[in-house]
Amino acid sequence: MATLEPIAQPGKLIVFTGPSGVGKGTLLRRLLQLHPVLYLSISATTRQPRPHEIHGQHYYFVSRETFEQMIERSELLEWAEFAGNYYGTPRDPVVEAVEQGRWVILEIELAGARQIRDTFPLAQQIFVLPPSIEELETRIRRRAQDSESAIARRMARARVEIDAADEFDFQIVNDDLDQAISQLETALFVEMPAPAEMPIKTSLELSAEPGD
């Protein structure tokens, strides 16, 4: 297997991690609506697409054999196996976007976030926390998608992931959506200012502007 060389960063890579059910998808959808300058990387997976999912838009859906070939050819920045399926980030689209000066977000698992530290040592890493472990379980149960055994596995995994939150540059508690978005904006655009060619206004600044 080829060794991946660390990548110089004219743009920026943002790693977004947290336990299943914490609300990462909701936060990212809101963030991308507010700041379309951000680019969400598309992951590859071996799981079957859900009814609403489109290949190349939500995921790249590939066979297990194809995914393992991608691993062997070092075509993935990171990868992990979760619930019997592979998930990973195709390398080339991310590298090209960052080299073009874009800000790229990876929504990935803890194992993948740790791998990214080797290839993108300057990547900004954000961990999303639930208000409490009890609230996380409530959210997972509310989705009504998992059996009791699956919920138990998710919760056990969540505890391991939450224990690793201190490894990340920023921890965001997703209790109130607006507050969590404000914390994300601070982490992204105040703690790490955007390049001059990327004018950024936070949601608070946008809400303060007079209407048309």
Side-chain angles (χ1 to χ4, degrees), residues 7-9 11-14 116-125 169 192:
I7 299 163
Q9 289 183 268
K12 180 175 177 180
L13 188 67
I14 301 151
I116 288 294
R117 290 173 196 154
D118 294 329
T119 48
F120 274 87
L122 298 181
Q124 186 177 14
Q125 298 217 349
D169 300 315
M192 298 286 286

Side-chain angles (χ1 to χ4, degrees), residues 92-211:
D92 287 350
V94 173
V95 172
E96 290 170 7
V98 171
E99 287 178 345
Q100 291 166 5
R102 302 188 71 178
W103 286 29
V104 182
I105 298 177
L106 305 185
E107 182 188 354
I108 57 178
E109 302 291 333
L110 174 62
R114 286 170 168 166
Q115 293 172 43
I116 288 294
R117 290 173 196 154
D118 294 329
T119 48
F120 274 87
L122 298 181
Q124 186 177 14
Q125 298 217 349
I126 298 172
F127 193 94
V128 183
L129 289 158
S132 67
I133 196 71
E134 293 80 14
E135 173 61 21
L136 180 65
E137 182 171 352
T138 297
R139 292 178 185 181
I140 291 173
R141 289 185 178 279
R142 193 180 298 141
R143 299 190 306 190
Q145 295 178 349
D146 298 299
S147 65
E148 284 298 319
S149 60
I151 290 172
R153 288 193 298 271
R154 287 187 184 277
M155 293 307 299
R157 185 185 182 97
R159 288 182 173 88
V160 172
E161 292 169 333
I162 289 169
D163 284 345
D166 287 343
E167 297 178 14
F168 290 73
D169 300 315
F170 297 95
Q171 295 86 41
I172 306 294
V173 177
N174 187 17
D175 188 2
D176 176 86
L177 178 61
D178 289 336
Q179 289 182 7
I181 288 293
S182 180
Q183 291 176 40
L184 274 173
E185 291 174 328
T186 298
L188 292 173
F189 308 131
V190 178
E191 299 290 342
M192 298 286 286
E197 66 271 17
M198 291 186 179
I200 296 292
K201 291 186 178 181
T202 67
S203 57
L204 291 177
E205 291 172 322
L206 289 168
S207 64
E209 291 183 347

